[in-house]
């Protein structure tokens, strides 16, 4: 959950990561074969998350999250239980949405955010143009 909520990865991408996909500089490489778009993307990890993962590093070919079931239904069930256990509501894809909005609002441009998450620029542009900040919504309800 921490990886998904930090870098906005999909549950399938996260479950298929191998130790060889995490380099010594803290760059996580999502290989094209495991991504929805089939495009390889490289995502920098925050230092704290990199240290957490490095502390349990395994062999290059091993899955980073070997306990996650290989099938989509099994992954969903496991991750939904984890969400419930930590008291979070919503769906797993909410992590991706949250990460994209946080990056965008922190000053990331649409193209960079789209590239980090593996979105096409057109899809990202449409999404961010529709997104409203809490301040924008407040203006709608205040008279």
């Amino acid at each position: 959950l921490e990886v998904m909520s930090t870098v906005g990865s999909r549950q399938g991408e996260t479950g298929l990561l191998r130790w060889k996909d995490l380099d010594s500089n803290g760059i996580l490489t999502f290989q094209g074969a495991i991504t929805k778009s089939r495009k390889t993307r490289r995502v920098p990890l925050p230092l704290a998350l990199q240290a957490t993962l490095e502390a349990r590093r395994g062999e290059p070919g091993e899955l980073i999250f070997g306990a996650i079931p290989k099938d989509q239904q099994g992954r969903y069930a496991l991750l939904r239980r984890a969400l419930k256990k930590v008291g979070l509501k919503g769906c797993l894809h909410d992590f991706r949405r949250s990460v994209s909005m946080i990056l965008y609002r922190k000053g990331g441009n649409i193209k960079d955010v789209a590239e980090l998450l593996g979105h096409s620029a057109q899809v990202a542009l449409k999404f961010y143009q529709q997104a409203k900040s809490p301040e924008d919504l407040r203006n709608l309800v205040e008279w």
Side-chain angles (χ1 to χ4, degrees):
L1 290 176
E2 186 175 357
V3 170
M4 292 172 60
S5 64
T6 303
V7 303
S9 57
R10 295 175 180 92
Q11 55 89 17
E13 296 170 339
T14 307
L16 295 174
L17 286 170
R18 298 190 179 278
W19 287 110
K20 66 181 179 181
D21 299 325
L22 176 61
D23 73 16
S24 60
N25 296 315
I27 305 294
L28 198 54
T29 301
F30 292 90
Q31 301 295 335
I34 68 169
T35 66
K36 184 177 177 182
S37 66
R38 299 290 185 230
K39 293 180 183 174
T40 296
R41 68 180 191 278
R42 295 170 41 86
V43 180
L45 293 178
L47 292 176
L49 181 53
Q50 179 187 356
T52 298
L53 291 175
E54 286 295 345
R56 50 182 296 254
R57 184 177 277 280
E59 294 298 316
E62 290 177 351
L63 293 171
I64 293 176
F65 305 105
I68 294 179
K70 309 283 185 277
D71 65 296
Q72 185 175 5
Q73 188 175 15
R75 285 192 306 264
Y76 265 76
L78 175 73
L79 292 169
R80 298 287 288 159
R81 284 192 306 272
L83 281 175
K84 188 174 181 178
K85 185 174 182 178
V86 297
L88 294 175
K89 295 182 180 177
C91 69
L92 295 168
H93 205 74
D94 288 342
F95 288 132
R96 275 181 69 75
R97 292 183 191 109
S98 297
V99 169
S100 66
M101 290 309 303
I102 289 166
L103 292 173
Y104 179 64
R105 289 198 176 128
K106 281 183 132 185
N109 68 50
I110 290 172
K111 185 179 177 191
D112 290 343
V113 173
E115 187 174 317
L116 275 173
L117 296 177
H119 290 145
S120 72
Q122 294 88 354
V123 169
L125 180 60
K126 183 178 177 182
F127 176 74
Y128 298 125
Q129 283 177 332
Q130 294 174 1
K132 300 285 186 190
S133 70
E135 293 77 21
D136 293 337
L137 296 175
R138 184 177 296 117
N139 292 336
L140 293 174
V141 297
E142 287 183 356
W143 307 26

